[in-house]
Amino acid sequence: MAETSPSSQSRSLTETVNGSHKFVIQGYSLAKGMGVGKHIASDNFTVGGYQWAIYFYPDGKNPEDNSAYVSVFIALASEGTDVRALFELTLVDQSGKGKHKVHSHFDRALESGPYTLKYRGSMWGYKRFFRRNLLESSDYLKDDCLKINCTVGVVVSATDCPRLHSIRVPESDIGAHFGVLLENMEASDITFDVAGQKFHAHKLAMLHFIYRDSLTEEVESVSSSSSCTSPVSDTLTAKLLAAADRYGLERLRMMCESHLCKDISVNSVAEILALADRYHATELKDVCLRFATENLAVTQQFVF
């Protein structure tokens, strides 16, 4: 009979890493007249592992077609090749009416796709961002001040396949024996009174694991939800891993490693690797490093 190979699956995940920057231009009237093609730059800000900057041209970027306009661009300020991103530039209405002027590439993503920046200094923006005479009589200019909000969404892709990585936990029947001991309260030498409900136990016992050699349902439910917004270090699984490391409970450590392994993704691998290193979870650490290597283009943007 021919052998059947085990089935497997993977998922290609493409998403944006978003970040925003607020650029306040104080003293607009003094900047005006600096010359066509001359710009004021914001401080550099980081999104998706790259440096960006906002360039404001008070007299326009090019003389031939926009000297009557102010120009605004977002520039790639660090080294990068074929960086794909979405952008949004918002000129803030300072009257409080909320009538902001928004130029958004995000809204056209389905139509035209992300914009590709080929090298450091590549820019996206508008030569004719706003007609200068209208700007100077508008609610966008107040107390000789302009405010520009910028959002950048850097496109990243990775193969997200936590199911391809697993850590095997050895079989055990100790739970059946100790589970009975917990239920019939034989030889218990301590009682916990919690809100009127009494629990009989034995000293130095981590109740559920030590008696049943398994994880609780609470651990199961937290580990199975990769969409949990709380940090991995705040989960019950991570806390049990810390306890297992502290008290030398090797099988509990392996159980926690196995469950955390299932939650490895491009967004969580850095934090799980840090936990594995801190609590000497060697197999989990190896899986994190393999996953990071397989998805190097994305994970290199995160700090381990």
Side-chain angles (χ1 to χ4, degrees):
M1 180 181 292
E3 291 186 4
T4 302
S5 299
S7 61
S8 61
Q9 68 176 40
S10 62
R11 177 181 60 166
S12 175
L13 178 64
T14 301
E15 57 188 356
T16 58
V17 177
N18 298 337
S20 298
H21 184 79
K22 296 180 180 180
F23 185 30
V24 178
I25 301 167
Q26 189 73 52
Y28 164 80
S29 62
L30 299 176
K32 188 172 63 168
M34 67 189 306
V36 176
K38 301 288 184 63
H39 68 265
I40 298 170
S42 72
D43 193 12
N44 288 358
F45 57 97
T46 303
V47 180
Y50 297 97
Q51 293 278 305
W52 306 89
I54 304 169
Y55 289 176
F56 176 73
Y57 297 80
D59 296 320
K61 190 172 186 294
N62 296 324
E64 62 273 14
D65 60 353
N66 51 41
S67 57
Y69 292 82
V70 298
S71 305
V72 182
F73 282 81
I74 303 169
L76 179 62
S78 62
E79 296 300 329
T81 304
D82 294 336
V83 181
R84 301 173 69 237
L86 301 173
F87 304 97
E88 183 174 276
L89 286 167
T90 302
L91 186 59
V92 177
D93 177 5
Q94 299 187 66
S95 69
K97 298 174 185 176
K99 296 182 179 179
H100 311 302
K101 183 174 180 62
V102 181
H103 293 283
S104 181
H105 193 196
F106 284 83
D107 297 337
R108 303 196 305 274
L110 285 177
E111 223 174 89
S112 57
Y115 187 80
T116 301
L117 297 105
K118 296 289 187 180
Y119 48 83
R120 181 177 183 174
S122 297
M123 294 188 287
W124 175 92
Y126 292 87
K127 297 176 184 177
R128 300 186 177 190
F129 186 76
F130 208 103
R131 187 176 286 275
R132 186 181 301 103
N133 60 349
L134 295 179
L135 175 65
E136 293 173 359
S137 60
S138 72
D139 290 327
Y140 302 114
L141 183 65
K142 182 179 180 181
D143 299 328
D144 207 25
C145 173
L146 291 173
K147 295 181 179 180
I148 298 174
N149 290 343
C150 163
T151 299
V152 177
V154 178
V155 178
V156 295
S157 298
T159 301
D160 196 359
C161 49
R163 288 175 181 258
L164 297 183
H165 302 284
S166 62
I167 296 174
R168 183 178 177 276
V169 179
E171 295 294 332
S172 172
D173 62 356
I174 192 172
H177 302 290
F178 280 99
V180 172
L181 186 61
L182 175 62
E183 288 170 358
N184 64 23
M185 298 171 287
E186 239 178 65
S188 64
D189 52 10
I190 190 170
T191 302
F192 295 100
D193 190 333
V194 182
Q197 187 174 1
K198 297 185 184 301
F199 298 89
H200 297 272
H202 296 75
K203 287 180 180 177
L204 303 179
M206 298 176 67
L207 289 180
H208 195 94
F209 170 73
I210 291 182
Y211 281 114
R212 288 201 174 277
D213 198 28
S214 66
L215 298 180
T216 65
E217 291 182 1
E218 287 80 3
V219 172
E220 298 280 355
S221 61
V222 170
S223 294
S224 64
S225 176
S226 60
S227 62
C228 179
T229 56
S230 301
V232 177
S233 57
D234 289 345
T235 63
L236 185 54
T237 312
K239 292 174 182 177
L240 280 174
L241 177 62
D245 181 59
R246 180 175 181 180
Y247 296 112
L249 300 171
E250 292 304 318
R251 183 173 160 78
L252 178 58
R253 187 205 307 275
M254 294 300 297
M255 287 179 173
C256 294
E257 289 187 58
S258 179
H259 280 280
L260 287 169
C261 175
K262 298 173 185 176
D263 283 337
I264 295 174
S265 68
V266 292
N267 293 321
S268 67
V269 64
E271 189 175 3
I272 293 176
L273 176 58
L275 282 173
D277 185 61
R278 186 182 311 148
Y279 299 125
H280 308 97
T282 54
E283 290 200 36
L284 182 61
K285 183 176 180 179
D286 288 344
V287 171
C288 287
L289 291 173
R290 287 202 305 273
F291 182 90
T293 301
E294 292 166 6
N295 297 276
L296 183 61
V298 176
T299 53
Q300 65 183 354
Q301 299 174 15
F302 298 92
V303 179
F304 293 129

